[in-house]
Amino acid sequence: MDLHSGYHQIIMKTEDILKTTFITHEGHYEFLVMRFGITNAPSTFQGLIISIFKPFLRNFVLVFFDHTIIYNKSWKDHVQYVDKVLKPLEEKQLYAKTSKCFFWVQEVEYLGHIVSHEGVKVDLKKIKSIKEWKIPTILKHLQGFLGMTR
């Protein structure tokens, strides 16, 4: 699952709204929700997600910011786990972007990897350019290759 609008679903504390004020030619504006450029936005958002899924983490849920993966060994468990994950999101009024969510699949692309019942493997599309790279014959090309693979 991929949460819709990530940080923008977190309502700002009333006393912090004033800190987000900006001026345009049409007047003053304040953010009522957390905006992307705020220094602590990533850690605040990650903290919220971890607190929501804490009882489930590494049992059947993995999270990385707004990306959530639900895993299990059987379809029967999967139904229960999906329900357990969606309920707290609904309670906190956090919504997933349906176009980026996949349910009932055998494998899923997750952070540049393919996750399935067989385990985790590299997504071959992500390393295609490295595999097809011509063998460097001069030092400058070797340095370019090594710089790219860091």
Side-chain angles (χ1 to χ4, degrees):
M1 293 186 322
D2 190 349
L3 293 183
H4 184 68
S5 302
Y7 308 146
H8 295 111
Q9 294 189 56
I10 300 176
I11 297 172
M12 296 284 292
K13 288 183 179 177
T14 306
E15 61 269 18
D16 292 333
I17 291 174
L18 189 60
K19 299 173 188 172
T20 67
T21 303
F22 63 98
I23 301 171
T24 71
H25 62 283
E26 294 187 15
H28 276 103
Y29 290 91
E30 298 172 338
F31 277 90
L32 302 179
V33 295
M34 188 166 296
R35 65 182 196 88
F36 184 70
I38 293 178
T39 303
N40 291 331
S43 60
T44 300
F45 184 77
Q46 187 70 37
L48 172 66
I49 297 302
I50 287 173
S51 70
I52 290 171
F53 293 131
K54 190 169 186 143
F56 314 139
L57 288 177
R58 294 195 173 102
N59 291 321
F60 56 89
V61 172
L62 294 174
V63 294
F64 183 76
F65 288 104
D66 60 343
H67 295 84
T68 305
I69 189 166
I70 305 166
Y71 60 92
N72 51 280
K73 294 186 188 238
S74 73
W75 288 112
K76 181 182 173 189
D77 291 342
H78 192 66
V79 172
Q80 293 173 356
Y81 294 161
V82 168
D83 191 50
K84 285 183 178 183
V85 167
L86 292 178
K87 280 187 179 178
L89 289 175
E90 183 181 32
E91 289 169 6
K92 296 288 184 181
Q93 296 182 340
L94 295 171
Y95 302 100
K97 190 172 194 170
T98 55
S99 64
K100 291 190 169 187
C101 294
F102 302 94
F103 295 98
W104 322 116
V105 294
Q106 293 287 332
E107 66 178 32
V108 66
E109 184 181 327
Y110 184 68
L111 304 175
H113 295 81
I114 302 295
V115 180
S116 72
H117 69 281
E118 297 171 353
V120 179
K121 60 185 176 185
V122 174
D123 184 352
L124 296 178
K125 292 181 288 185
K126 301 292 184 187
I127 62 168
K128 182 180 178 196
S129 62
I130 294 172
K131 288 179 77 172
E132 294 176 355
W133 198 279
K134 292 180 184 176
I135 296 174
T137 55
I138 61 174
L139 181 60
K140 186 173 185 170
H141 292 166
L142 176 61
Q143 290 169 334
F145 176 78
L146 292 174
M148 179 192 72
T149 59
R150 282 188 166 185

